Amino acid sequence: MNIFPIRTEADYEKALSRIEMLMDAEFNTPEGDELDILTTLVENYEAKHFPIPQCDPIEAIRFRMEQMGLEAKDLTPIIGSRSKVSEVLNHKRQLSISMIRNLHARLNLPYESLIGA
């Protein structure tokens, strides 16, 4: 087992190729250990070089509205008045803690999506 840090795109591609060859390796074997180490190195490299962008809370709300067939007026019991709903959906008003709690409870949206974390 010759494992080295992944520093370049070529190192990354080489590690991915080796992972593909080891995909059926048994747990607690030398090949399984190599697979575990390589996947950890690849995950670290990907986190640094291909970060996942944060979710826009309003886009998360709009996506859920589309999934549930909701219109802006359907959010008034959750967010407040029609004007508040409009301001929120147009990025003119930030979500309050109570809005976030209501959206989480009533639309089953993860808190992480609503706070943009």
Side-chain angles (χ1 to χ4, degrees):
M1 173 177 5
N2 289 331
I3 296 178
F4 300 96
I6 300 173
R7 293 187 177 109
T8 66
E9 186 74 24
D11 294 341
Y12 174 69
E13 293 297 329
K14 186 176 176 181
L16 289 177
S17 294
R18 182 65 180 151
I19 287 172
E20 190 173 329
M21 292 184 339
L22 295 169
M23 284 306 287
D24 295 326
E26 294 288 325
F27 187 69
N28 283 334
T29 64
E31 292 83 13
D33 291 345
E34 182 180 0
L35 176 62
D36 188 34
I37 294 167
L38 283 173
T39 56
T40 301
L41 290 171
V42 165
E43 287 171 356
N44 186 39
Y45 181 85
E46 288 175 344
K48 288 180 182 175
H49 294 88
F50 310 112
I52 298 172
Q54 288 186 342
C55 176
D56 175 26
I58 305 310
E59 291 306 314
I61 294 167
R62 287 185 183 279
F63 180 72
R64 184 56 56 113
M65 288 172 62
E66 184 179 321
Q67 285 181 321
M68 298 175 75
L70 300 175
E71 296 179 10
K73 67 180 181 179
D74 299 319
L75 297 182
T76 55
I78 299 170
I79 292 178
S81 67
R82 290 185 114 174
S83 63
K84 278 187 183 178
V85 171
S86 176
E87 290 171 353
V88 165
L89 292 178
N90 289 304
H91 292 90
K92 293 182 180 177
R93 177 188 288 260
Q94 290 190 337
L95 293 170
S96 68
I97 298 296
S98 63
M99 289 177 194
I100 291 170
R101 286 183 179 141
N102 287 339
L103 288 161
H104 172 73
R106 295 188 185 178
L107 299 184
N108 199 29
L109 284 164
Y111 285 119
E112 294 83 5
S113 296
L114 295 170
I115 59 174

